[in-house]
Amino acid sequence: MLTDYAAEPIMTALCHCVDCQKWTGSAFTSNVVVPRDTFKVIQGIPKFYDIAGASGKNNRHFFCGTCGSNLFGELDIMGDKTVIKAGSLDNGEASLRNKVDIEFFVKNRVSYLPAVDVAKQEPRFG
């Protein structure tokens, strides 16, 4: 599965919500948020599943049907943006270029992880 985006990220974010914890089997997701109209799948057809987010609106999670890797999300609450899972990016981009702009759902952050000092801390989304 290959994806690409043609714009600078709007933001980089960690999300500690329970949905992201379950989706990744980990403590949080690491994300690059880009304008939806600059994002495209260039190889393969991802599978998806829908789940209601904390807002009550739909979160569509896309993943590779072959290997199961989490790829990106389209959240109704962010209708014009695509949330790319940074671990699916090439060339070391999972590091978020050593810049985390914001952490969401810090109220659900696991107790052994400290806050990213320079990142804005949001108890929920938004």
Side-chain angles (χ1 to χ4, degrees):
M1 189 75 48
L2 289 174
T3 62
D4 192 22
Y5 60 97
E8 281 299 307
I10 295 167
M11 76 174 83
T12 56
L14 303 182
C15 185
H16 302 276
C17 77
V18 173
D19 180 36
C20 283
Q21 291 173 4
K22 288 181 179 181
W23 189 31
T24 61
S26 186
F28 58 91
T29 58
S30 177
N31 307 281
V32 175
V33 181
V34 299
R36 191 168 293 174
D37 62 358
T38 69
F39 174 82
K40 63 183 175 181
V41 176
I42 55 176
Q43 181 181 337
I45 300 171
K47 295 188 179 281
F48 67 89
Y49 75 93
D50 293 332
I51 189 166
S55 66
K57 296 186 179 206
N58 191 57
N59 292 344
R60 179 161 282 180
H61 296 300
F62 290 87
F63 61 96
C64 177
T66 302
C67 72
S69 293
N70 302 319
L71 300 172
F72 61 96
E74 293 178 349
L75 289 60
D76 284 356
I77 199 167
M78 297 176 71
D80 60 344
K81 297 169 186 68
T82 296
V83 182
I84 303 168
K85 300 307 165 199
S88 71
L89 298 172
D90 292 333
N91 303 317
E93 291 296 310
S95 72
L96 299 176
R97 300 178 186 172
N98 295 316
K99 181 178 174 269
V100 176
D101 296 315
I102 190 165
E103 292 188 75
F104 291 110
F105 281 92
V106 297
K107 69 184 189 74
N108 298 115
R109 180 190 292 123
V110 295
S111 62
Y112 59 83
L113 288 179
V116 175
D117 288 335
V118 296
K120 183 177 180 184
Q121 303 294 304
E122 289 289 336
R124 299 182 62 84
F125 183 80

